Amino acid sequence: MEVRDQQFIFELARGAVSTPEAPVFASGLQVRAQVVFEAILEMICAGSGMATLAVQPSEAMEAVAAFHAAIAVVRCSSLEASYEVAQSHGVLPDVDRIATLGSQQLARQNPRSPLLIAMWMATIHDELSPSLKLTVRMGSGRPRYPDGWQTHDRFLQASDAHPALPISWIPQTAWPGALQLADASALGLETPHGRAFISMCLARYGTTRSWRAIATSLGLPASAGRGVHRAWGKIEAADRTSAYIQAIDRLFIQLHEAPPPIDYERRRTLLWHVGTLAKSMARESPSAKGWPSISHFDDHVEFWATYTGGSTEFAPPSYRDAAWTATRGSIHSPRLDNLPIQDSASATAGEPMTWTPP
């Protein structure tokens, strides 16, 4: 066993230098060689009580024991099993697991290998609220601190380096069928409120953004933040929390690989007041071009929903003028697909009218 462990660490050290991003199987995951090597060194230091690996003769036995224990940890088949082995051998730093999620300051005061962080978080999976599971990207199977909480650039896999989605990439209500969950309709996720909840979760994923701030930035009523608890309740009652968060992670990765060609935030800002839409349509003489009249509320609100990726249920206040009546629900109107919206910056020039993830 000792020879095998020595061979493993020598090969790992060689790989960490020559090809640091090459994947190595550790704790049930494919992890970058450099990260695995550094995690082992951190566990050896923790297990031997040394601040560094400058081993003194009196510390040699502790260092050797910690070395073998650290190798045993990364050879486990899961993060949870790795944590148990590490705990039994005393090779984890003495830091409270829950406390490490308490604040950015505390996390920075206790910098740790992302592999050790993933072990800790995997073992407290059932203790975390659904919102916190989004924050630590539990859906990836490789939980980590939220964006900005650590100063190093170490990640278990390349996709873990993706930052939080910009708000400009996220429509007010997520694209129909985007989660690709068979029971999405049964969970209420294909309604306007359900798709708004999906958009809010995308904005929360990997961050500590508040639900209220997210709702406001998506053009939703600030009260939408309170609806989050009801949505989670339905998902938890169906025992689908893990499946839902994993689906959010898949969509998160998909959007990074194929970003939306639309600036949804810009469009929401541009058409915040119905007067902007009315003036633009008037300049373009819609009736002469065969476009629908703007004299009826439905035309305004339907276009707003289509153009901004929103729902008529969440149209801005100016679109709910008492002189007009609303048709409820998200409506896509092909008649409006070629209607241009002009502004001085021409920020939307070249963007498609609508878009869905490939």
Side-chain angles (χ1 to χ4, degrees):
M1 180 65 71
E2 291 187 5
V3 173
R4 180 187 172 195
D5 288 350
Q6 291 172 9
Q7 182 179 5
F8 174 83
I9 196 66
F10 289 146
E11 292 178 354
L12 182 61
R14 187 182 302 113
V17 173
S18 61
T19 54
E21 296 183 3
V24 174
F25 189 77
S27 300
L29 301 172
Q30 291 291 327
V31 182
R32 292 181 173 187
Q34 182 184 42
V35 172
V36 177
F37 183 69
E38 291 173 347
I40 289 175
L41 296 184
E42 187 170 333
M43 285 188 284
I44 293 174
C45 289
S48 61
M50 298 182 298
T52 69
L53 289 181
V55 182
Q56 300 298 319
S58 59
E59 300 171 326
M61 293 304 295
E62 289 82 357
V64 170
F67 165 77
H68 291 298
I71 300 298
V73 169
V74 300
R75 282 183 171 155
C76 290
S77 59
S78 69
L79 291 171
E80 293 84 352
S82 289
Y83 184 82
E84 289 183 9
V85 171
Q87 280 284 79
S88 66
H89 287 283
V91 292
L92 285 179
D94 186 19
V95 178
D96 182 76
R97 296 177 299 168
I98 298 294
T100 58
L101 294 176
S103 68
Q104 180 185 61
Q105 180 181 4
L106 189 59
R108 290 191 171 190
Q109 290 174 348
N110 299 279
R112 295 288 176 254
S113 160
L115 182 56
L116 302 188
I117 293 296
M119 292 178 194
W120 285 332
M121 291 187 181
T123 60
I124 59 174
H125 176 278
D126 294 337
E127 302 172 43
L128 304 182
S129 69
S131 296
L132 193 50
K133 289 176 183 178
L134 289 174
T135 293
V136 300
R137 306 191 189 191
M138 194 66 75
S140 69
R142 301 176 303 280
R144 47 165 294 207
Y145 279 130
D147 288 5
W149 277 38
Q150 294 267 255
T151 55
H152 59 66
D153 60 354
R154 301 292 193 264
F155 302 99
L156 301 189
Q157 295 182 10
S159 62
D160 296 343
H162 290 321
L165 294 178
I167 296 296
S168 60
W169 288 10
I170 306 175
Q172 184 189 67
T173 56
W175 309 271
L179 283 188
Q180 300 181 23
L181 279 179
D183 56 349
S185 294
L187 293 172
L189 298 174
E190 290 298 340
T191 65
H193 286 270
R195 286 166 46 214
F197 173 65
I198 294 171
S199 286
M200 293 179 71
C201 289
L202 283 172
R204 175 68 180 248
Y205 202 64
T207 78
T208 55
R209 294 166 177 161
S210 72
W211 290 117
R212 184 181 180 87
I214 290 171
T216 301
S217 65
L218 292 176
L220 293 164
S223 59
R226 294 194 294 270
V228 166
H229 302 293
R230 291 191 296 271
W232 280 128
K234 192 166 187 176
I235 293 171
E236 290 185 302
D239 195 25
R240 296 289 283 163
T241 302
S242 293
Y244 175 77
I245 295 177
Q246 289 166 9
I248 289 290
D249 183 78
R250 290 193 298 270
L251 183 54
F252 174 88
I253 297 298
Q254 184 179 4
L255 293 174
H256 269 289
E257 293 176 346
I262 292 174
D263 186 334
Y264 292 103
E265 185 176 27
R266 171 73 181 182
R267 290 188 177 191
R268 288 191 292 267
T269 302
L270 176 63
L271 293 190
W272 178 251
H273 196 280
V274 69
T276 304
L277 174 58
K279 290 177 182 178
S280 182
M281 294 179 76
R283 286 199 304 269
E284 296 300 323
S285 302
S287 59
K289 294 179 178 291
W291 295 327
S293 169
I294 65 171
S295 62
H296 192 270
F297 177 86
D298 288 347
D299 293 328
H300 288 80
V301 76
E302 288 172 23
F303 179 80
W304 175 88
T306 302
Y307 188 68
T308 65
S311 166
T312 57
E313 294 211 23
F314 307 122
S318 65
Y319 287 77
R320 297 193 292 270
D321 191 287
W324 291 318
T325 58
T327 297
R328 308 293 281 178
S330 294
I331 303 173
H332 175 74
S333 177
R335 299 170 301 164
L336 300 172
D337 282 357
N338 296 317
L339 181 60
I341 287 293
Q342 298 178 349
D343 68 296
S344 57
S346 298
T348 60
E351 293 182 353
M353 179 67 177
T354 61
W355 179 85
T356 55

